[in-house]
Amino acid sequence: MTTTASVNTGDGRRTGAPVVSFENVSKNYGTVRAVSDLSLDLYPGETVALLGPNGAGKSSTLDLLLGLRNPDAGRVEIFGTTPQQAILQGRVGAMLQTGGLMEEVKVREIVKLACDLHPKAFPVEQVLEAADLTGIADRMVNKLSGGQEQRVRFAMATAGANDLIVLDEPTTGMDVSARQAFWGVMREQTRQGRTVLFATHYLEEADAIADRVIVLRGGKLLADGSAAEIKAKAGARRIVFDLDQPVGEGALRELPFLSSLEVSGRTVRIQSHDADATVHALYGLGLYPRNLEVAGLGLEQAFLAINDAATAEEAAK
Amino acid sequence: MKTLITLEITRTLRNKKFMFFSILYPALLFLLIAGGASEKELVKGTNLTLPLLMMVSMASFGAITAVLVGNSERIAKEREKGWVRQLRLTALPGRGYVAAKVASAAVVSLPSILVVFAVAVAVKNVRLDAWQWGALTGSIWAGSIVFAALGVALGYLVSGDAVRPVTMIVYFALSMLGGLWMPTTTFPDWLQSVAKWTPTYAYAALGHSIEGGDAPHLKDVGLLLAYLVVFAGCAAWLYRKDTRKA
């Protein structure tokens, strides 16, 4: 079984030269392999979510992408040039979790700095407005809350007309309304043809916003496709039911199209590639499921399923 | 880049504690050391009185305080907080950050030099020609760039909690060894010959030559330039190295 879903969204948007190109990129920190032979291309106008458990290599991948670190092997290109060059040309805006802010300055001053440094800058007031900072523009940066700081980072990342926007866990520390407002602004950016790549812990964000999802694990590409494809790959449906009396797991394992099975007491939880056939076979076993529920998997469950499958596969080796 | 320099200067000026300390401390130290000294008697081995000698030493010391201590600590802190990373994601060239740091340091060092001069004139009746005042201010101010570069290098070399003690050791060692706190002529012979090769000694010697009515010695200027090349080279190398592990 191959662990990498093929990429083919077939929506015709993958035309032209890639915006970002990773070619067999590897990066080690001492003996730890953070990124392992990663190859991937991003195309203009895509909104791409980067998912993976902690330590999957998301931040390292973004660091390599932005030229903050150099790969040990392979090649990273943005718009056909080096990341450093692309940044100097003002084509890349980035918001990092680890990006600090200057202290002892006002919000407006630091945003103005970002605008002045950007070769294709927007007016300061417009950037402040878009990041919802107008009301706190005269506040000192070191007196801000975590969510407000995030908005300042966001303003710095969108100070000019970038063609690629890279966001590392952008909504961490934001409340629900701030998060919604944030993605509202990002949608506006993609509508203008910009490419957006974001790493996130909130899978519902990836599900709702990204038109392409990349899953990393142990620095390797585990899955790459639309959210729907990832869900399909993981086992499309979840079946939950109760039984009148406990049944041995062995019997249930015989069911067709299973991708996972969990029995706790009388409750059985199944993930299936073909829920109809599985349920049909269930009756065929002479069982009588009660409180039967069949539902689609959320991206989060799909993600966990893919991840578990990869873990099991590694363990089997 | 101009905005960054302006912003660095603005925030330095906003840091009142640091300004106050950097500007007044050398002047107070001058009063402490030279306050009771004779205004006529020459210091052994020199053609200058103690107040004259200490005025230049303390002006130099003040400039070093401003550019060395301030820079290294700030840079180390900003590296740790990720501000340097953030700046790397802008179109700012690498030298822009260093230039802004040196410029903001110069804003603090100039008043600290002038305050020492003012105290020396008011309290110890130091009198010099107009050209000497101009040349002293210019050479001490310009010479402080050497130590600003050292500050940048230290800020990149050492991180976190270690930066303050390391900077202090370098700062006190150089200040004492270079004769900024007491004339090197009071040192034993072997120490005097070591002291002559320190950047701080060469730095103060610029001012002492001017006070004596001469142009600065070529040897001192050359030595300072050599140190500038070494320190700035280290700073640039460490900055690039930091790119790989930042």
Side-chain angles (χ1 to χ4, degrees):
Chain A
M1 176 186 152
T2 160
T3 51
T4 307
S6 70
V7 181
N8 184 12
T9 55
D11 57 9
R13 284 168 90 181
R14 301 222 173 136
T15 48
V19 172
V20 169
S21 175
F22 274 64
E23 225 183 275
N24 305 105
V25 173
S26 293
K27 177 73 186 176
N28 302 320
Y29 302 133
T31 56
V32 181
R33 176 147 269 217
V35 176
S36 175
D37 198 29
L38 184 66
S39 293
L40 97 119
D41 290 323
L42 304 186
Y43 292 88
E46 282 187 319
T47 305
V48 184
L50 189 60
L51 305 181
N54 284 333
K58 295 187 301 261
S59 292
S60 300
T61 303
L62 294 186
D63 280 359
L64 289 165
L65 169 63
L66 295 168
L68 291 172
R69 294 176 190 270
N70 297 324
D72 296 331
R75 206 157 48 108
V76 179
E77 280 192 348
I78 305 183
F79 302 110
T81 176
T82 62
Q84 288 87 350
Q85 204 55 38
I87 288 172
L88 285 180
Q89 289 165 1
R91 301 192 73 178
V92 185
M95 172 175 172
L96 293 182
Q97 259 185 308
T98 48
L101 298 173
M102 201 182 210
E103 293 185 342
E104 296 147 359
V105 298
K106 292 176 183 153
V107 170
R108 184 192 309 279
E109 291 169 335
I110 200 169
V111 173
K112 181 172 183 295
L113 172 67
C115 290
D116 286 353
L117 290 174
H118 202 291
K120 294 178 280 181
F122 297 130
V124 180
E125 294 307 320
Q126 184 189 323
V127 175
L128 285 170
E129 186 65 47
D132 192 19
L133 290 170
T134 310
I136 54 168
D138 288 318
R139 218 176 284 176
M140 297 302 268
V141 164
N142 37 326
K143 298 262 156 56
L144 299 180
S145 73
Q148 289 167 332
E149 271 185 28
Q150 262 321 66
R151 268 146 57 199
V152 173
R153 285 195 194 98
F154 173 62
M156 293 191 73
T158 53
N162 306 303
D163 299 310
L164 168 68
I165 299 175
V166 179
L167 309 158
D168 190 6
E169 312 254 344
T171 56
T172 304
M174 288 187 192
D175 58 30
V176 177
S177 65
R179 206 174 286 176
Q180 273 165 358
F182 176 86
W183 288 115
V185 176
M186 284 326 298
R187 277 202 197 90
E188 187 49 43
Q189 302 273 337
T190 48
R191 216 168 289 142
Q192 290 163 13
R194 307 207 157 98
T195 307
V196 175
L197 172 66
F198 68 100
T200 186
H201 261 115
Y202 300 108
L203 282 97
E204 65 271 30
E205 278 187 348
D207 207 353
I209 289 140
D211 45 41
R212 182 174 163 196
V213 176
I214 290 171
V215 183
L216 292 182
R217 188 169 192 286
K220 288 190 187 126
L221 193 65
L222 189 58
D224 180 356
S226 68
E229 284 169 334
I230 302 274
K231 288 179 203 171
K233 173 179 157 52
R237 309 224 126 206
R238 187 168 49 99
I239 305 165
V240 182
F241 56 88
D242 294 335
L243 291 171
D244 288 332
Q245 57 237 10
V247 171
E249 266 191 51
L252 294 168
R253 287 237 176 268
E254 302 301 312
L255 291 168
F257 300 107
L258 281 198
S259 59
S260 91
L261 170 70
E262 187 196 326
V263 181
S264 58
R266 294 190 300 115
T267 305
V268 179
R269 294 185 182 83
I270 287 171
Q271 277 175 21
S272 163
H273 299 293
D274 186 341
D276 300 331
T278 307
V279 172
H280 181 79
L282 193 58
Y283 289 108
L285 286 175
L287 296 171
Y288 189 81
R290 295 187 183 278
N291 308 323
L292 178 68
E293 271 176 41
V294 179
L297 284 182
L299 185 59
E300 177 145 18
Q301 286 144 322
F303 168 73
L304 289 173
I306 293 179
N307 200 39
D308 288 348
T311 311
E313 198 176 314
E314 269 165 31
K317 269 180 198 166
Chain B
M1 192 157 118
K2 234 172 68 193
T3 317
L4 182 63
I5 293 175
T6 321
L7 207 52
E8 284 286 1
I9 292 173
T10 311
R11 62 192 280 238
T12 306
L13 292 175
R14 273 188 197 144
N15 194 339
K16 303 227 162 50
K17 257 186 279 178
F18 178 70
M19 283 298 281
F20 185 78
F21 176 79
S22 307
I23 291 173
L24 290 189
Y25 171 51
L28 291 174
L29 218 51
F30 169 78
L31 284 177
L32 200 68
I33 297 171
S38 156
E39 291 160 25
K40 296 270 158 12
E41 207 177 304
L42 295 181
V43 175
K44 183 175 67 113
T46 71
N47 58 352
L48 300 171
T49 63
L50 189 66
L52 272 174
L53 199 72
M54 289 318 292
M55 180 179 82
V56 158
S57 298
M58 280 303 136
S60 306
F61 176 68
I64 293 176
T65 309
V67 301
L68 178 68
V69 179
N71 263 347
S72 67
E73 252 182 68
R74 280 209 166 170
I75 289 171
K77 200 168 144 199
E78 289 180 358
R79 269 172 61 221
E80 214 169 316
K81 293 226 158 166
W83 173 241
V84 176
R85 260 168 93 86
Q86 190 81 44
L87 273 182
R88 283 220 173 87
L89 301 176
T90 68
L92 178 80
R95 64 192 149 78
Y97 178 71
V98 176
K101 286 286 168 221
V102 173
S104 68
V107 170
V108 193
S109 64
L110 183 62
S112 74
I113 295 167
L114 295 178
V115 168
V116 172
F117 288 173
V119 169
V121 169
V123 182
K124 299 307 292 179
N125 296 313
V126 170
R127 294 292 178 269
L128 292 169
D129 293 344
W131 75 267
Q132 285 173 308
W133 287 121
L136 277 180
T137 309
S139 64
I140 295 176
W141 202 22
S144 71
I145 291 172
V146 176
F147 301 94
L150 177 62
V152 174
L154 282 178
Y156 273 108
L157 188 66
V158 198
S159 45
D161 296 338
V163 70
R164 180 169 293 192
V166 169
T167 305
M168 283 300 160
I169 289 168
V170 170
Y171 165 65
F172 285 127
L174 282 180
S175 299
M176 272 194 270
L177 209 54
L180 299 187
W181 289 1
M182 60 204 94
T184 49
T185 44
T186 61
F187 293 174
D189 282 349
W190 68 270
L191 197 57
Q192 279 194 41
S193 46
V194 173
K196 284 200 168 67
W197 293 99
T198 61
T200 31
Y201 180 89
Y203 183 35
L206 296 183
H208 293 147
S209 304
I210 295 168
E211 282 185 327
D214 298 325
H217 298 303
L218 224 52
K219 180 213 154 209
D220 297 325
V221 176
L223 192 61
L224 275 180
L225 283 176
Y227 273 113
L228 180 63
V229 169
V230 171
F231 294 155
C234 278
W237 182 72
L238 288 165
Y239 181 87
R240 277 203 298 275
K241 189 160 157 266
D242 206 50
T243 313
R244 288 202 284 275
K245 67 168 200 186

